[in-house]
Amino acid sequence: MIRELRKNVNSLTQIVLDLKQQQVIQSGRMDLAIQETLEAKTAVDEWLCQRTDEGILIHQAHPHIDGRALYGHVLWYSGEALAKYLVWRHGGLASRDSCIGKFVLELGAGSGVVGLTLGRLGAAVTVTDAEPQVVALLKRNIAANDLEANVKARALSFGDASTYLEPRASLDLVVAADVLYEAGQGSVLARVLDAHVPVGSG
């Protein structure tokens, strides 16, 4: 999915740049070409936007920035699947208030589809990610869905206990979708869960 997404974005961007180069040659108007290129890039960025079956609007961003892979910039099938399951588990879309009074933490939220869906069901959700750019995208998606009253975004790094939430006893649910990418990360995730899941919960 990442490869296909990047290929599509790069193809569209290259087409735009080629057209702008031709316009510069023909008209000599560099300022106009730059402005139109920026407008076209904005259009490409807006193309990276999807609405889930549950009605959640998800803005995506380029998955590679400055040579770094930002997996959280993309809406993954695993997140959509977990969101669908949670909607079903709580009575479907008709039960918009089924999670009122529930306090939820989403780890490695990425685009935020799971936490935003729970927020739509009435839960008070904290969506988290370790990457500042992804946290910024989370805030954008919260605003795009008018869920500022229910959903908050903040940084949380699995390996940095100083970023963990307190107190853990106030959480009713901790969710995460597709957050392990490398060998050895399981033990780190286990520490995060131990720090946030209430003692004795099932």
Side-chain angles (χ1 to χ4, degrees):
M1 182 178 177
I2 285 282
R3 184 180 301 139
E4 189 63 26
L5 180 64
R6 185 171 57 175
K7 179 182 177 182
N8 290 340
V9 172
N10 288 342
S11 296
L12 286 170
T13 303
Q14 190 58 53
I15 290 171
V16 169
L17 292 175
D18 289 344
L19 288 173
K20 293 304 113 184
Q21 185 177 25
Q22 291 177 18
Q23 287 185 9
V24 170
I25 293 173
Q26 293 171 2
S27 69
R29 289 288 306 281
M30 177 64 77
D31 58 336
L32 178 61
I34 291 174
Q35 178 61 35
E36 292 181 352
T37 300
L38 291 174
E39 291 173 357
K41 183 181 182 301
T42 299
V44 171
D45 290 338
E46 290 175 352
W47 172 76
L48 293 172
C49 180
Q50 296 186 35
R51 187 177 296 275
T52 70
D53 293 339
E54 292 69 42
I56 300 298
L57 185 65
I58 297 293
H59 291 283
Q60 302 180 91
H62 298 285
H64 289 81
I65 295 180
D66 298 330
R68 296 176 60 242
L70 292 173
Y71 299 119
H73 273 179
V74 176
L75 176 62
W76 293 92
Y77 294 137
S78 54
E80 290 186 275
L82 180 55
K84 287 180 181 296
Y85 166 76
L86 291 168
V87 168
W88 170 81
R89 180 70 175 78
H90 289 92
L93 290 175
S95 305
R96 284 295 180 94
D97 298 332
S98 61
C99 289
I100 285 181
K102 300 289 187 182
F103 292 90
V104 179
L105 167 65
E106 183 178 5
L107 299 169
S111 65
V113 64
V114 177
L116 291 167
T117 302
L118 286 168
R120 180 64 56 82
L121 293 175
V125 185
T126 301
V127 290
T128 66
D129 203 280
E131 298 287 352
Q133 298 98 321
V134 177
V135 174
L137 182 64
L138 282 168
K139 292 178 179 179
R140 181 184 181 189
N141 284 333
I142 291 170
N145 290 278
D146 297 319
L147 285 170
E148 294 93 337
N150 290 59
V151 185
K152 308 298 179 187
R154 57 163 287 176
L156 188 152
S157 173
F158 291 179
D160 184 358
S162 69
T163 66
Y164 294 177
L165 274 63
E166 291 290 347
R168 66 181 181 180
S170 64
L171 293 172
D172 298 293
L173 182 65
V174 178
V175 295
D178 207 5
V179 296
L180 300 179
Y181 297 97
E182 299 175 6
Q185 290 183 329
S187 60
V188 179
L189 177 60
R191 288 198 297 271
V192 178
L193 291 173
D194 183 62
H196 292 94
V197 176
V199 176
S201 62

